[in-house]
Every structure is written in structure tokens, then in C-alpha cells.
Amino acid sequence: MSNPNIEQLTAAQKANAEVMMALLHSAFNGVERLTALNMAATRELFNNSVASSQQLLSAKDAKDVAKLNSELAQPSVEKLMEYSRSVYELVASMQKEVTSVMEAQYNTFAKNASSAVEKATAGAPVGGDVFAATMKSMLGASTKAFDTMTSMSKQLTDIAETNMQAAGKAAGKAVSATAAAAKKSAAK
């Protein structure tokens, strides 16, 4: 003989454990990707620093140093912007994964809650329909709130992406202008 409440509780616990495992898996993968990105960036920074130092040490006069500085500045800023874009893309990807898991979990919750309200309404005594209507209203309000939150999250992601693109363009222009000015002053 089985108890439907225990079976429902067990199913809910299993579903919650699966959601937590999916979120932990996503987080672990994100940390792993961020670590790999940071290691690659650190390795490249070290190699570039050594090469740049050797180039600067081989300069014969201040004019050569100024010229080298301008030549070395642009790739460094471009690499920094590329790294920033990579971090942003990683975070956006993780946000999408977490949002996807949360949406799936909320949709399952809403479906189960709606089903439970329908079952309770079917066997409800007189006056139970008021409770059911209240529960349906609360479920509708929570669904609307969740949808609004999801929409806002997506809008914020879009805004951040637009800002990253604008910052990249502005940094590129600034580096080009700085490099041109440094070349001009080195040529004097």
C-alpha cells in the first residue's frame, strides 16, 4: 500500500536534487572554463611581457623606446578587450544555462501546482471554489512575476552586450589615436 503524499514528496525531492545537480554542473563547468581562460591569458601575458621587455632592452635611444611603446600598446589593449569579451561571453552563457534550468523548474512547478488546484477543486466542499480561485490567482501572479523577471534578465544581458561592443569600439579608437600620436611624436 502506497501513500500518494509520500510518493509526491519523494518525486519532489528527486526533482529538486536533479535541479541542484544541473545548477552545480553548470557552475562547475563555468569555473572550469574561466580557469582555462585565465590560464591562457596569464600564459600569453607572460610570454608577451618577456618579448616586449627584450624588444625594449634592444632599443638604442629614447626615440626607439617611444616607437616600441606605441607599437606594443595597441596589441595589449586589443588582447585585454578580447579577454573581457571572452569573460563576458562565458558569464552570459552561464546565465543562459542557469535561466534555462530555472525556467524548466518553474514550469514544472506551475504545472504541478495547477494540477493540484484542479484536483482540489474537483473534490472540494462548498466554499472550496473560493480557495481554488485564490490559489489560481496566486499562481497566475507568480507566473507573471517570473516572466517579468526572466524578461528583465534578458534585457539586462542585451544591454551589457551592447555596452561591451561600444566599449570595445571606443577602446579601439582610443588605442589607434594614442598609437598615432606616439608615432607622430617619435618621428619628431
Side-chain angles (χ1 to χ4, degrees):
M1 185 161 160
S2 67
N3 185 341
N5 290 336
I6 291 176
E7 289 174 5
Q8 288 175 338
L9 183 60
T10 302
Q13 290 295 338
K14 182 179 177 188
N16 287 338
E18 289 172 0
V19 168
M20 289 305 298
M21 291 305 291
L23 290 173
L24 288 172
H25 181 71
S26 178
F28 184 77
N29 284 340
V31 168
E32 185 177 37
R33 291 185 299 188
L34 182 61
T35 301
L37 179 66
N38 284 338
M39 288 299 294
T42 302
R43 185 180 305 111
E44 187 173 358
L45 175 67
F46 176 76
N47 291 337
N48 289 342
S49 294
V50 168
S52 296
S53 295
Q54 289 173 344
Q55 286 179 332
L56 287 170
L57 289 173
S58 69
K60 297 186 183 352
D61 58 17
K63 191 175 185 180
D64 287 344
V65 171
K67 182 180 175 187
L68 281 172
N69 275 334
S70 69
E71 291 172 359
L72 296 173
Q74 187 166 358
S76 296
V77 171
E78 289 171 357
K79 288 175 184 171
L80 177 63
M81 290 306 299
E82 181 181 328
Y83 173 78
S84 296
R85 272 191 293 278
S86 296
V87 170
Y88 168 76
E89 289 169 2
L90 174 70
V91 170
S93 170
M94 288 180 61
Q95 186 263 337
K96 286 178 183 175
E97 289 176 25
V98 169
T99 298
S100 174
V101 169
M102 297 306 290
E103 284 176 345
Q105 178 65 13
Y106 184 78
N107 290 337
T108 301
F109 162 75
K111 181 180 153 190
N112 291 342
S114 181
S115 175
V117 169
E118 292 298 324
K119 286 179 185 176
T121 303
V126 176
D129 56 341
V130 173
F131 172 75
T134 302
M135 291 304 293
K136 285 180 184 179
S137 176
M138 287 174 49
L139 185 58
S142 70
T143 299
K144 187 173 182 175
F146 184 80
D147 290 345
T148 300
M149 181 185 71
T150 302
S151 175
M152 286 175 55
S153 173
K154 289 177 183 175
Q155 288 175 353
L156 289 174
T157 300
D158 292 344
I159 289 169
E161 186 172 336
T162 301
N163 287 343
M164 277 296 290
Q165 291 172 352
K169 288 177 184 176
K173 288 177 183 177
V175 168
S176 296
T178 303
K183 285 180 183 178
K184 196 175 198 179
S185 69
K188 290 182 181 180

